[in-house]
Amino acid sequence: MADSPASAPRFLAPAQVAELLDIDVDEVIALVMAGRLRGAQLGAPARWRVEEASVSDYLAEQTEDARRMALWRQADAASFPEVWGPQRP
């Protein structure tokens, strides 16, 4: 029995992904080629399509990277007395 269409992955055109991510279409294709987004060339003639779930995964990855970078900057900006406590004479 075939999977229902509701469980099948949904694919987006690179222009749709570019609009969602506020980047250029060429950057979307570069992300696919780099493996950061899952995509394939589908249809005849073949056109790029990006799996919708991979866009969510990419955004989650970017959010986590931003969170870690903010923590790094926060730790880097902390002074040693604030981190280690006052020094004893």
XYZ file of all heavy atoms in Angstrom:
684
model
N 0.845 -1.179 0.000
C 0.000 0.000 0.000
C 0.889 1.240 0.000
O 1.851 1.325 0.747
C -0.896 -0.023 1.238
C -1.902 1.112 1.250
S -2.859 1.125 2.767
C -4.267 0.188 2.261
N 0.552 2.192 -0.802
C 1.354 3.413 -0.917
C 1.099 4.346 0.254
O 0.027 4.341 0.849
C 1.023 4.115 -2.229
N 2.119 5.145 0.580
C 1.966 6.148 1.632
C 0.935 7.180 1.202
O 0.794 7.492 0.021
C 3.293 6.857 1.909
C 4.300 5.941 2.580
O 3.870 4.983 3.250
O 5.507 6.190 2.436
N 0.251 7.732 2.167
C -0.718 8.784 1.851
C 0.035 10.059 1.497
O 1.150 10.280 1.957
C -1.642 9.032 3.044
O -0.912 9.582 4.099
N -0.551 10.923 0.669
C 0.121 12.170 0.298
C 0.465 13.044 1.495
O 1.410 13.799 1.452
C -0.893 12.871 -0.616
C -1.778 11.777 -1.112
C -1.798 10.733 -0.033
N -0.289 12.927 2.582
C -0.022 13.746 3.762
C 1.320 13.383 4.400
O 1.968 14.218 4.999
C -1.146 13.593 4.779
N 1.762 12.113 4.253
C 3.019 11.706 4.869
C 4.199 11.850 3.909
O 5.333 11.707 4.314
C 2.923 10.270 5.365
O 2.773 9.393 4.266
N 3.932 12.118 2.646
C 5.004 12.296 1.672
C 5.694 13.638 1.913
O 5.052 14.609 2.300
C 4.437 12.248 0.256
N 7.009 13.680 1.685
C 7.710 14.955 1.874
C 7.186 16.002 0.895
O 6.834 15.685 -0.232
C 9.170 14.629 1.592
C 9.243 13.220 1.166
C 7.895 12.617 1.264
N 7.136 17.211 1.357
C 6.692 18.320 0.515
C 7.931 19.048 0.013
O 8.856 19.287 0.767
C 5.816 19.264 1.327
C 5.307 20.409 0.511
C 4.225 21.181 1.231
N 3.866 22.309 0.380
C 3.795 23.558 0.792
N 3.993 23.842 2.048
N 3.489 24.515 -0.035
N 7.924 19.376 -1.258
C 9.062 20.046 -1.869
C 8.689 21.469 -2.263
O 7.572 21.737 -2.682
C 9.550 19.271 -3.097
C 10.192 17.966 -2.732
C 9.451 16.805 -2.653
C 11.546 17.911 -2.445
C 10.049 15.610 -2.296
C 12.146 16.723 -2.084
C 11.399 15.561 -2.011
N 9.657 22.365 -2.108
C 9.473 23.776 -2.423
C 10.426 24.182 -3.538
O 11.521 23.639 -3.653
C 9.764 24.637 -1.189
C 8.950 24.350 0.068
C 9.516 25.132 1.240
C 7.497 24.686 -0.157
N 10.014 25.142 -4.318
C 10.892 25.712 -5.334
C 11.957 26.560 -4.642
O 11.712 27.130 -3.575
C 10.082 26.569 -6.300
N 13.138 26.653 -5.224
C 14.190 27.471 -4.618
C 13.761 28.917 -4.366
O 14.171 29.515 -3.373
C 15.325 27.399 -5.649
C 15.126 26.095 -6.319
C 13.637 25.920 -6.394
N 12.911 29.458 -5.231
C 12.442 30.830 -5.021
C 11.606 30.937 -3.747
O 11.684 31.933 -3.026
C 11.626 31.296 -6.226
N 10.816 29.908 -3.447
C 10.025 29.905 -2.216
C 10.939 29.844 -0.996
O 10.714 30.547 -0.010
C 9.056 28.720 -2.200
C 7.960 28.798 -3.236
C 7.171 27.503 -3.299
O 7.736 26.443 -3.571
N 5.873 27.593 -3.036
N 11.952 28.999 -1.065
C 12.899 28.871 0.047
C 13.670 30.180 0.217
O 13.869 30.651 1.336
C 13.861 27.686 -0.186
C 14.903 27.598 0.920
C 13.079 26.391 -0.310
N 14.075 30.771 -0.901
C 14.803 32.040 -0.851
C 13.966 33.109 -0.166
O 14.475 33.890 0.644
C 15.193 32.476 -2.260
N 12.676 33.126 -0.462
C 11.798 34.111 0.172
C 11.657 33.846 1.670
O 11.711 34.770 2.475
C 10.422 34.087 -0.490
C 9.498 35.167 0.004
C 8.167 35.193 -0.735
O 8.110 34.742 -1.891
O 7.187 35.667 -0.128
N 11.533 32.573 2.038
C 11.412 32.223 3.459
C 12.664 32.604 4.244
O 12.575 33.076 5.380
C 11.164 30.719 3.621
C 9.794 30.201 3.241
C 9.799 28.669 3.218
C 8.743 30.709 4.213
N 13.832 32.380 3.632
C 15.093 32.627 4.324
C 15.653 34.025 4.076
O 16.671 34.394 4.658
C 16.134 31.581 3.904
C 15.797 30.122 4.202
C 16.897 29.214 3.686
C 15.550 29.904 5.686
N 15.005 34.772 3.201
C 15.438 36.127 2.832
C 16.863 36.116 2.276
O 17.730 36.873 2.717
C 15.307 37.084 4.013
C 15.369 38.544 3.596
O 15.035 38.847 2.436
O 15.774 39.387 4.420
N 17.095 35.193 1.336
C 18.376 35.092 0.651
C 18.109 34.964 -0.850
O 16.968 34.852 -1.277
C 19.212 33.896 1.166
C 18.479 32.572 0.946
C 19.597 34.087 2.624
C 19.283 31.337 1.330
N 19.177 34.945 -1.642
C 19.045 34.789 -3.083
C 18.835 33.321 -3.454
O 19.259 32.415 -2.724
C 20.302 35.281 -3.800
C 20.499 36.778 -3.686
O 19.482 37.505 -3.601
O 21.662 37.222 -3.674
N 18.231 33.101 -4.622
C 18.011 31.741 -5.120
C 19.348 31.018 -5.291
O 19.450 29.832 -4.975
C 17.214 31.766 -6.444
C 17.134 30.384 -7.065
C 15.813 32.320 -6.209
N 20.367 31.731 -5.754
C 21.687 31.115 -5.913
C 22.237 30.612 -4.580
O 22.907 29.586 -4.529
C 22.676 32.104 -6.539
C 22.341 32.429 -7.986
O 21.642 31.618 -8.633
O 22.769 33.486 -8.468
N 21.949 31.328 -3.504
C 22.389 30.894 -2.178
C 21.647 29.633 -1.746
O 22.221 28.767 -1.088
C 22.189 32.006 -1.154
C 23.109 33.193 -1.352
C 22.831 34.296 -0.355
O 23.305 34.181 0.796
O 22.140 35.260 -0.729
N 20.375 29.519 -2.123
C 19.601 28.311 -1.811
C 20.230 27.116 -2.512
O 20.462 26.067 -1.889
C 18.119 28.463 -2.227
C 17.374 27.141 -2.083
C 17.443 29.549 -1.417
N 20.537 27.267 -3.795
C 21.164 26.173 -4.547
C 22.523 25.828 -3.937
O 22.876 24.649 -3.810
C 21.307 26.548 -6.039
C 19.938 26.853 -6.660
C 22.030 25.446 -6.813
C 18.929 25.742 -6.571
N 23.279 26.834 -3.515
C 24.580 26.586 -2.882
C 24.406 25.804 -1.574
O 25.209 24.911 -1.275
C 25.310 27.902 -2.629
N 23.364 26.117 -0.806
C 23.095 25.379 0.441
C 22.731 23.926 0.140
O 23.119 23.016 0.881
C 21.983 26.059 1.234
C 22.350 27.377 1.914
C 21.104 28.075 2.457
C 23.352 27.142 3.032
N 21.998 23.699 -0.942
C 21.660 22.323 -1.352
C 22.938 21.588 -1.761
O 23.179 20.458 -1.335
C 20.624 22.308 -2.492
C 20.444 20.899 -3.045
C 19.282 22.866 -2.014
N 23.753 22.242 -2.572
C 24.989 21.607 -3.051
C 25.953 21.314 -1.893
O 26.680 20.332 -1.939
C 25.674 22.504 -4.083
C 24.825 22.777 -5.302
S 24.449 21.306 -6.220
C 25.704 21.378 -7.436
N 25.927 22.153 -0.861
C 26.791 21.956 0.304
C 26.216 20.934 1.281
O 26.865 20.570 2.257
C 27.013 23.284 1.020
N 24.971 20.496 1.044
C 24.346 19.506 1.924
C 23.670 20.102 3.142
O 23.238 19.377 4.027
N 23.559 21.423 3.203
C 22.910 22.065 4.351
C 21.394 22.023 4.222
O 20.681 22.112 5.211
C 23.386 23.512 4.501
C 24.882 23.680 4.475
C 25.637 23.932 5.729
N 25.038 24.496 6.865
C 25.183 25.754 7.273
N 25.898 26.596 6.557
N 24.636 26.159 8.382
N 20.890 21.947 2.985
C 19.471 21.741 2.696
C 19.368 20.481 1.848
O 20.237 20.207 1.023
C 18.878 22.920 1.918
C 18.722 24.240 2.648
C 18.293 25.336 1.673
C 17.704 24.131 3.764
N 18.296 19.712 2.045
C 18.071 18.520 1.235
C 17.243 18.906 0.014
O 16.171 19.496 0.154
C 17.352 17.445 2.044
C 18.214 16.852 3.151
C 17.519 15.741 3.904
N 16.227 16.097 4.465
C 16.046 16.690 5.652
N 17.082 17.020 6.386
N 14.831 16.949 6.088
N 17.743 18.555 -1.142
C 17.037 18.885 -2.363
C 17.441 17.965 -3.486
O 18.373 17.173 -3.368
N 16.699 18.074 -4.581
C 16.973 17.249 -5.751
C 16.414 17.944 -6.977
O 15.567 18.833 -6.871
C 16.328 15.877 -5.588
N 16.900 17.505 -8.125
C 16.340 17.993 -9.369
C 15.241 17.027 -9.774
O 15.494 15.837 -9.978
C 17.415 18.103 -10.443
C 18.380 19.226 -10.160
C 19.372 19.433 -11.279
O 19.849 18.469 -11.867
N 19.662 20.686 -11.568
N 14.021 17.533 -9.871
C 12.855 16.709 -10.163
C 12.158 17.205 -11.413
O 12.226 18.382 -11.755
C 11.871 16.760 -8.986
C 12.415 16.364 -7.610
C 11.383 16.633 -6.533
C 12.821 14.911 -7.612
N 11.425 16.306 -12.048
C 10.600 16.674 -13.186
C 11.365 16.667 -14.496
O 12.535 16.354 -14.574
N 10.614 16.980 -15.555
C 11.202 17.077 -16.891
C 10.665 18.335 -17.539
O 9.462 18.424 -17.755
C 10.850 15.847 -17.725
N 11.444 19.333 -17.798
C 12.880 19.401 -17.521
C 13.147 19.467 -16.019
O 12.320 19.957 -15.250
C 13.314 20.691 -18.206
C 12.095 21.552 -18.217
C 10.931 20.603 -18.340
N 14.317 18.964 -15.645
C 14.675 18.899 -14.223
C 14.797 20.295 -13.625
O 15.433 21.174 -14.198
C 15.989 18.144 -14.063
N 14.142 20.468 -12.504
C 14.212 21.730 -11.757
C 14.496 21.393 -10.302
O 14.035 20.393 -9.782
C 12.901 22.492 -11.862
C 12.576 22.910 -13.273
C 11.320 23.763 -13.287
N 10.870 23.992 -14.638
C 11.226 25.045 -15.368
N 12.026 25.946 -14.873
N 10.772 25.184 -16.584
N 15.254 22.277 -9.664
C 15.592 22.062 -8.257
C 14.343 22.170 -7.397
O 13.503 23.047 -7.589
C 16.617 23.082 -7.774
C 18.007 22.741 -8.187
C 18.744 23.330 -9.164
C 18.831 21.722 -7.628
N 19.972 22.732 -9.254
C 20.056 21.749 -8.317
C 18.648 20.784 -6.618
C 21.099 20.874 -8.024
C 19.686 19.924 -6.314
C 20.895 19.968 -7.014
N 14.255 21.282 -6.428
C 13.220 21.317 -5.401
C 13.903 21.026 -4.069
O 14.814 20.199 -3.991
C 12.113 20.296 -5.657
C 11.312 20.572 -6.918
C 10.519 21.870 -6.777
N 9.751 22.171 -7.963
C 10.032 23.146 -8.816
N 11.088 23.896 -8.621
N 9.274 23.374 -9.860
N 13.436 21.706 -3.025
C 14.035 21.584 -1.691
C 12.994 20.990 -0.761
O 11.843 21.440 -0.733
C 14.509 22.963 -1.176
C 15.090 22.839 0.214
C 15.513 23.573 -2.137
N 13.397 19.985 0.000
C 12.488 19.353 0.947
C 12.132 20.347 2.050
O 13.010 20.938 2.682
C 13.138 18.109 1.542
C 12.199 17.272 2.366
C 12.847 16.015 2.892
O 13.747 15.464 2.216
O 12.454 15.601 3.989
N 10.849 20.533 2.274
C 10.373 21.531 3.237
C 10.918 21.273 4.641
O 11.324 22.200 5.338
C 8.848 21.556 3.259
C 8.258 22.623 4.147
C 6.746 22.649 4.102
O 6.137 21.575 4.013
O 6.196 23.753 4.155
N 10.971 20.024 5.051
C 11.458 19.700 6.397
C 12.917 20.113 6.573
O 13.324 20.480 7.683
C 11.302 18.205 6.665
N 13.696 20.089 5.493
C 15.103 20.475 5.619
C 15.238 21.969 5.881
O 16.217 22.398 6.495
C 15.906 20.066 4.385
O 15.656 20.900 3.287
N 14.263 22.755 5.442
C 14.299 24.196 5.726
C 14.118 24.408 7.232
O 14.833 25.203 7.846
C 13.223 24.956 4.916
C 13.192 26.429 5.291
C 13.460 24.785 3.420
N 13.188 23.673 7.832
C 12.991 23.760 9.287
C 14.239 23.315 10.036
O 14.640 23.952 11.012
C 11.802 22.892 9.709
O 10.626 23.364 9.135
N 14.852 22.231 9.556
C 16.083 21.746 10.185
C 17.197 22.784 10.072
O 17.940 23.021 11.027
C 16.545 20.436 9.542
C 15.581 19.284 9.772
O 14.717 19.386 10.672
O 15.693 18.283 9.040
N 17.312 23.409 8.917
C 18.334 24.431 8.692
C 18.116 25.619 9.625
O 19.061 26.118 10.229
C 18.312 24.875 7.227
C 19.246 26.011 6.923
C 20.619 25.795 6.798
C 18.771 27.305 6.766
C 21.481 26.847 6.526
C 19.628 28.355 6.491
C 20.983 28.120 6.375
O 21.839 29.165 6.116
N 16.857 26.057 9.753
C 16.561 27.185 10.641
C 16.867 26.840 12.094
O 17.392 27.667 12.840
C 15.106 27.625 10.485
C 14.786 28.331 9.168
C 13.282 28.557 9.040
C 15.528 29.643 9.065
N 16.561 25.617 12.500
C 16.877 25.185 13.868
C 18.390 25.179 14.090
O 18.872 25.601 15.142
C 16.286 23.803 14.136
N 19.136 24.725 13.083
C 20.596 24.710 13.164
C 21.143 26.131 13.261
O 22.031 26.410 14.077
C 21.148 24.027 11.913
C 22.646 24.008 11.801
C 23.088 23.447 10.456
O 22.575 22.392 10.049
O 23.945 24.085 9.825
N 20.607 27.043 12.462
C 21.049 28.438 12.492
C 20.726 29.087 13.840
O 21.523 29.856 14.370
C 20.398 29.228 11.362
C 20.871 28.827 9.978
C 22.342 29.058 9.792
O 23.135 28.123 9.830
N 22.732 30.279 9.602
N 19.562 28.774 14.390
C 19.164 29.311 15.691
C 20.102 28.816 16.781
O 20.539 29.594 17.641
C 17.716 28.915 16.010
O 16.861 29.423 14.983
C 17.263 29.452 17.360
N 20.434 27.532 16.742
C 21.357 26.969 17.737
C 22.748 27.582 17.600
O 23.392 27.904 18.597
C 21.416 25.444 17.600
C 22.347 24.765 18.584
C 21.978 24.950 20.041
O 20.842 25.354 20.362
O 22.853 24.692 20.891
N 23.212 27.762 16.364
C 24.509 28.404 16.151
C 24.522 29.823 16.716
O 25.493 30.244 17.341
C 24.863 28.442 14.663
C 25.242 27.082 14.105
O 25.435 26.138 14.900
O 25.332 26.969 12.863
N 23.436 30.566 16.492
C 23.343 31.938 17.000
C 23.324 31.954 18.529
O 23.958 32.800 19.162
C 22.101 32.625 16.445
N 22.616 30.988 19.132
C 22.554 30.900 20.592
C 23.942 30.624 21.166
O 24.385 31.274 22.116
C 21.579 29.797 21.012
C 21.374 29.692 22.525
C 20.567 28.457 22.903
N 21.339 27.233 22.754
C 22.237 26.786 23.649
N 22.471 27.473 24.740
N 22.889 25.667 23.444
N 24.643 29.684 20.554
C 25.990 29.359 21.028
C 26.949 30.523 20.854
O 27.788 30.786 21.714
C 26.521 28.130 20.293
C 25.851 26.856 20.713
C 26.407 25.675 20.000
N 25.705 24.465 20.411
C 26.016 23.262 20.001
N 27.027 23.086 19.168
N 25.325 22.218 20.412
N 26.841 31.231 19.740
C 27.710 32.385 19.504
C 27.425 33.484 20.530
O 28.348 34.125 21.029
C 27.527 32.913 18.083
C 28.523 33.991 17.717
S 30.263 33.540 17.906
C 30.463 32.393 16.575
N 26.155 33.696 20.852
C 25.809 34.707 21.862
C 26.384 34.320 23.222
O 26.909 35.184 23.941
C 24.294 34.866 21.940
N 26.309 33.045 23.575
C 26.887 32.594 24.839
C 28.404 32.767 24.831
O 29.001 33.146 25.836
C 26.527 31.136 25.103
C 25.078 30.869 25.490
C 24.817 29.366 25.543
C 24.735 31.523 26.816
N 29.025 32.487 23.682
C 30.472 32.650 23.569
C 30.861 34.114 23.756
O 31.790 34.425 24.492
C 30.946 32.135 22.218
C 32.407 32.331 22.008
C 33.007 33.305 21.274
C 33.460 31.558 22.569
N 34.368 33.182 21.329
C 34.679 32.121 22.121
C 33.498 30.448 23.400
C 35.911 31.601 22.477
C 34.729 29.938 23.749
C 35.912 30.509 23.297
N 30.127 35.013 23.084
C 30.426 36.447 23.221
C 30.218 36.908 24.654
O 30.984 37.699 25.175
C 29.548 37.262 22.265
C 30.056 37.270 20.862
C 29.331 38.306 20.011
N 29.107 37.727 18.710
C 27.945 37.334 18.227
N 26.848 37.496 18.899
N 27.856 36.803 17.032
N 29.162 36.406 25.273
C 28.860 36.774 26.656
C 29.991 36.298 27.573
O 30.441 37.036 28.444
C 27.534 36.139 27.058
C 26.967 36.600 28.356
C 25.613 35.951 28.609
O 25.379 34.793 28.242
N 24.723 36.682 29.231
N 30.462 35.086 27.374
C 31.547 34.558 28.200
C 32.850 35.288 27.903
O 33.641 35.552 28.812
C 31.713 33.064 27.949
N 33.075 35.631 26.649
C 34.300 36.325 26.258
C 34.340 37.736 26.836
O 35.401 38.251 27.170
C 34.386 36.374 24.726
C 35.749 36.793 24.238
O 36.752 36.374 24.849
O 35.809 37.530 23.238
N 33.164 38.359 26.993
C 33.090 39.730 27.498
C 33.131 39.786 29.027
O 33.362 40.843 29.597
C 31.806 40.398 27.004
N 32.925 38.657 29.679
C 32.916 38.641 31.140
C 34.326 38.890 31.669
O 35.307 38.387 31.143
C 32.408 37.300 31.654
N 34.409 39.692 32.704
C 35.720 39.938 33.302
C 36.049 38.804 34.269
O 35.172 38.130 34.773
C 35.727 41.279 34.023
O 34.886 41.225 35.145
N 37.314 38.620 34.529
C 37.711 37.528 35.400
C 37.148 37.639 36.809
O 36.735 36.628 37.367
C 39.233 37.380 35.408
C 39.740 36.737 34.157
C 40.331 37.497 33.170
C 39.591 35.387 33.963
C 40.782 36.907 32.004
C 40.027 34.780 32.799
C 40.623 35.549 31.812
N 37.082 38.832 37.431
C 36.475 38.876 38.766
C 35.020 38.421 38.753
O 34.556 37.794 39.688
C 36.606 40.340 39.176
C 37.754 40.838 38.394
C 37.730 40.086 37.094
N 34.310 38.735 37.672
C 32.906 38.323 37.597
C 32.799 36.811 37.433
O 31.860 36.197 37.904
C 32.212 39.004 36.420
C 32.028 40.487 36.607
C 31.537 41.162 35.327
O 31.823 40.644 34.232
O 30.893 42.195 35.434
N 33.770 36.216 36.788
C 33.731 34.778 36.544
C 34.269 34.008 37.746
O 33.658 33.054 38.211
C 34.537 34.416 35.267
C 34.626 32.917 35.101
C 33.905 35.054 34.057
N 35.412 34.433 38.253
C 36.098 33.651 39.284
C 35.883 34.186 40.704
O 36.316 33.565 41.652
C 37.587 33.615 39.000
C 37.904 33.081 37.638
C 38.367 33.765 36.581
C 37.743 31.735 37.198
N 38.503 32.933 35.504
C 38.122 31.672 35.853
C 37.296 30.556 37.808
C 38.091 30.507 35.104
C 37.265 29.392 37.060
C 37.651 29.377 35.737
N 35.240 35.314 40.828
C 35.031 35.884 42.148
C 36.189 36.777 42.529
O 37.214 36.826 41.852
N 36.039 37.527 43.628
C 37.114 38.442 44.030
C 38.349 37.655 44.453
O 38.265 36.564 45.007
C 36.513 39.198 45.205
C 35.386 38.356 45.702
C 34.905 37.546 44.533
N 39.493 38.237 44.131
C 40.752 37.578 44.493
C 41.050 37.832 45.969
O 40.785 38.899 46.504
C 41.879 38.107 43.638
C 41.680 37.732 42.200
C 43.016 37.653 41.478
O 44.058 37.891 42.069
N 42.957 37.328 40.212
N 41.606 36.836 46.595
C 41.970 36.959 48.005
C 43.395 37.435 48.118
O 44.270 36.994 47.375
C 41.807 35.606 48.684
C 40.367 35.161 48.659
C 40.219 33.865 49.438
N 38.807 33.483 49.389
C 38.368 32.262 49.312
N 39.229 31.264 49.292
N 37.079 32.003 49.284
N 43.653 38.332 49.078
C 45.026 38.830 49.270
C 45.965 37.797 49.837
O 45.751 36.827 50.332
C 44.876 39.999 50.223
C 43.500 39.941 50.772
C 42.727 38.963 49.947
